[in-house]
């Protein structure tokens, strides 16, 4: 439906022909950015498409709209090989085009058809209210946030901390904080906001770089936050709904609110926002329905774009990351699970073709299997599966061959718009200390932590090494055969006694590292770190 702008000057309303937004493209949008109060689009056009006049038209289509006919004509220019078109941004109004897909179109009778593929705004930071500097770091060491173990996190000298944020919790009723965004008012749970305020402020005041991992759970009454094809019970987390107006606008408003609130304005700073957890695992960590890897990425890119523009338009220096697990090319036949390499190839290709942005990467190169900390000498049953190699065809990535991943994303085709290697955080590094089925002990855990950190610290692409977790989870110990904390815990997951790995964690990035780490070389089977750090 063609809309009438209340606050913005636009081309007169016209009917736009029903036209699938697919392979009609004859040109290429080379630039789509914000300048002042306008959106500027530059396109390189091929042979002129036959049309009803001699003009090209700029059409903006909302993320939840599926045809050119639903869009807005925002501007026009005479046909030429290199054409620039401009239209109003209308930021702050119900007609905002911050999240639109933009097309260059020609007039076709009484309507329009696209002659380029879609492009998105690539510089939402141009309208950011804040440009909060991120903390200066001298170490990559960090830990998963645990509000019951703050003294442990501080005592071990962490400079990074990661915490989960659940979208649905902000809509659980009770007293609310009202937020006006793009001409509408949204109501966020005050209890939830207050809880995050306390936590983020605490860590920020103690100099930690805060990373927030945003996840979405399917909850009764809040299904509108979940993408329509994913509303099937039984999965851990779900894809976000940008396919419908209510979901898309609500999610954008919440992320803009959070991006602004956690920009050092009294509530602390969140430097990094991770969009989902291990999203290459559509099943069970980011369920959107039954999809091929290309189909999943097509949906996830739209979700990521909304998140990126909402956050970066609040705090221009915030980083926005995607997240992968350790299965590089390996797919075991489980439906809706994709190798990280295939996910990254598809996601990166879509982002580049629709307007390159500065996305970052959070990765989980866990030991193999997860319960066995001895990643340098995996169990024989896994060796026979030929899961590890030192090239891009490896089936799995663990600490021993992390360079496969860092070399891959360092290629020119994966670099950010400035030509730099993208920000990479090892946002979940887990080393088990007990198991009933594979070699695991507190000594092996300590050795694994020391070795993995030294490998990460020697790799210039890796910016953070987040240890999961400070204290054992009683549930994981009882149900998952995993005791990956640096401290033992009681039945309520409260810390009791430190493990040897805690001593490693505390000193591994200090001048006393040799005293506390070198003792584990014999466990690994090496005589020096340079011998095995290559």
């Amino acid at each position: 439906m063609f809309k009438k702008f209340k606050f913005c000057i636009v081309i007169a309303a016209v009917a736009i022909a029903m036209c699938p937004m697919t392979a009609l493209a004859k040109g290429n949008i080379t630039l789509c950015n914000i300048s002042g109060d306008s959106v500027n689009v530059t396109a390189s056009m091929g042979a002129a498409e036959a049309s009803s006049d001699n003009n090209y038209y700029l059409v903006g289509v909302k993320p939840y709209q599926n045809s050119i006919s639903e869009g807005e004509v925002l501007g026009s220019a005479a046909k030429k090989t290199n054409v620039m078109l401009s239209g109003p941004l209308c930021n702050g109004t119900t007609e905002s085009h911050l999240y639109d897909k933009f097309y260059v179109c020609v007039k076709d009778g009484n309507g329009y058809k696209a002659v380029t593929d879609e492009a998105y705004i690539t510089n939402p930071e141009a309208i950011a209210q804040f440009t909060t500097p991120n903390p200066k770091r001298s170490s990559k060491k960090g830990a998963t946030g645990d509000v019951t173990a703050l003294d442990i996190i501080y005592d071990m000298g962490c400079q990074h901390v990661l915490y989960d944020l659940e979208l649905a919790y902000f809509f659980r009723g009770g007293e609310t904080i009202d937020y006006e965004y793009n001409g509408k008012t949204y109501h966020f749970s005050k209890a939830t906001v207050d809880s995050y305020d306390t936590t983020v402020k605490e860590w920020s005041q103690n100099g930690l770089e805060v990373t927030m991992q945003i996840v979405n759970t399917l909850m009764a009454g809040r299904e509108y936050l979940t993408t329509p094809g994913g509303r099937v019970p039984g999965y851990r987390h779900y894809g976000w709904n940008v396919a419908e107006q209510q979901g898309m606008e609500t999610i954008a408003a919440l992320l803009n609110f959070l991006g602004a609130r956690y920009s050092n304005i009294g509530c602390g700073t969140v430097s990094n926002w991770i969009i989902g957890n291990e999203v290459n695992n559509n099943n069970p960590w980011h369920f959107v329905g039954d999809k091929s890897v290309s189909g999943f990425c097509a949906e996830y890119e739209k979700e990521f774009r909304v998140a990126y523009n909402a956050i970066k338009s609040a705090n221009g220096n915030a980083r926005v990351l995607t997240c992968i697990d350790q299965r590089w090319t390996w797919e075991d036949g489980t439906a809706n699970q994709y190798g990280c390499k295939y996910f990254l190839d598809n996601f990166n290709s879509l982002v580049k073709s629709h307007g390159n942005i500065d996305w970052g990467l959070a990765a989980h190169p866990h030991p193999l299997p997860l319960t066995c900390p001895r990643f340098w000498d995996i169990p024989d049953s896994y060796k026979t599966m030929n899961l590890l190699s030192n090239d891009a065809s490896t089936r799995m990535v663990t600490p021993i061959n992390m360079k496969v991943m860092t070399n891959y994303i360092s290629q020119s085709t994966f670099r950010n718009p400035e030509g730099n290697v993208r920000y990479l955080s090892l946002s979940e590094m887990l080393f088990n200390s007990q198991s009933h089925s594979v070699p695991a002990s507190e000594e092996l855990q300590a050795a694994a932590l020391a070795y993995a950190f030294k490998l990460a610290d020697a790799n210039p692409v890796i910016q953070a090494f987040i240890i999961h977790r400070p204290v054992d989870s009683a549930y994981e110990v009882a149900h998952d055969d995993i005791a990956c904390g640096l401290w033992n815990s009681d039945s309520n997951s409260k810390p009791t006694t430190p493990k040897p790995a805690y001593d490693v964690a505390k000193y591994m990035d200090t001048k006393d590292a040799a005293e506390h780490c070198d003792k584990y070389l014999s466990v690994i089977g090496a005589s020096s770190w340079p011998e095995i750090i290559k």
Side-chain angles (χ1 to χ4, degrees), residues 368-444:
L368 178 66
L370 186 65
T371 50
C372 181
R374 198 180 64 192
F375 62 83
W376 58 92
D377 185 19
I378 63 177
D380 289 342
S381 58
Y382 284 82
K383 289 178 183 176
T384 60
M385 297 172 69
N386 297 314
L387 296 174
L388 296 173
S389 67
N390 290 311
D391 57 62
S393 66
T394 187
R395 302 175 79 184
M396 305 285 281
V397 169
T398 75
I400 203 69
N401 66 339
M402 289 186 296
K403 277 191 174 181
V404 168
M405 174 180 63
T406 58
N407 288 344
Y408 197 76
I409 69 164
S410 296
Q411 298 176 96
S412 59
T413 188
F414 272 92
R415 298 201 172 200
N416 72 11
E418 287 71 45
N420 299 319
V421 177
R422 297 182 184 277
Y423 182 91
L424 170 63
S425 169
L426 304 185
S427 61
E428 185 181 288
M429 299 301 294
L430 181 162
F431 304 100
N432 196 20
S433 66
Q434 68 176 49
S435 174
H436 300 296
S437 58
V438 295
S441 66
E442 291 189 359
E443 183 183 52
L444 279 173

Side-chain angles (χ1 to χ4, degrees), residues 122-134 256 259-260 262-263 269-271 273 308-320 358 418:
T122 58
N123 66 333
E125 63 274 10
I127 57 171
Q129 183 180 0
F130 302 98
T131 53
T132 306
N134 295 312
N256 186 264
Y262 301 125
S263 296
T269 300
V270 174
S271 298
W273 300 87
Y308 187 91
N309 283 14
I311 292 167
K312 295 283 283 185
S313 62
N315 178 8
N317 281 333
R319 304 183 191 97
V320 186
D358 193 16
E418 287 71 45

Side-chain angles (χ1 to χ4, degrees), residues 14-18 52 57 68 105-113:
V14 293
I16 306 179
M18 290 298 291
S52 302
Y57 294 87
I68 297 294
C105 296
V106 293
K107 188 175 287 188
D108 183 27
N110 292 324
Y112 296 83
K113 66 177 180 180

Side-chain angles (χ1 to χ4, degrees), residues 28 85 116 145-146 165 176 232 253 264 364 370 382 400 458 462 471 488 505 512 514 517:
N28 178 48
L85 302 105
T116 64
D146 184 341
L165 184 146
T176 62
V232 180
N264 200 24
H364 302 165
L370 186 65
Y382 284 82
I400 203 69
I462 296 168
V471 180
N488 295 295
D512 299 317
C517 296

Side-chain angles (χ1 to χ4, degrees), residues 141-143 152 155-156 158 373 429-434 441-451 453 465 467-472 483-488 497-509 516-517 519-520:
K141 182 172 68 181
I152 293 174
D155 182 64
M156 62 189 281
C158 288
M429 299 301 294
L430 181 162
F431 304 100
N432 196 20
S433 66
Q434 68 176 49
S441 66
E442 291 189 359
E443 183 183 52
L444 279 173
Q445 180 194 34
L449 176 59
Y451 189 7
F453 181 78
F465 182 97
I467 302 167
H468 182 77
R469 57 180 68 236
V471 180
D472 280 346
C484 60
L486 302 176
W487 280 60
N488 295 295
T497 56
K499 303 177 188 178
Y502 180 69
D503 188 66
V504 170
K506 183 174 181 177
Y507 294 104
M508 64 190 184
D509 60 340
H516 299 276
C517 296
K519 68 181 77 173
Y520 297 105

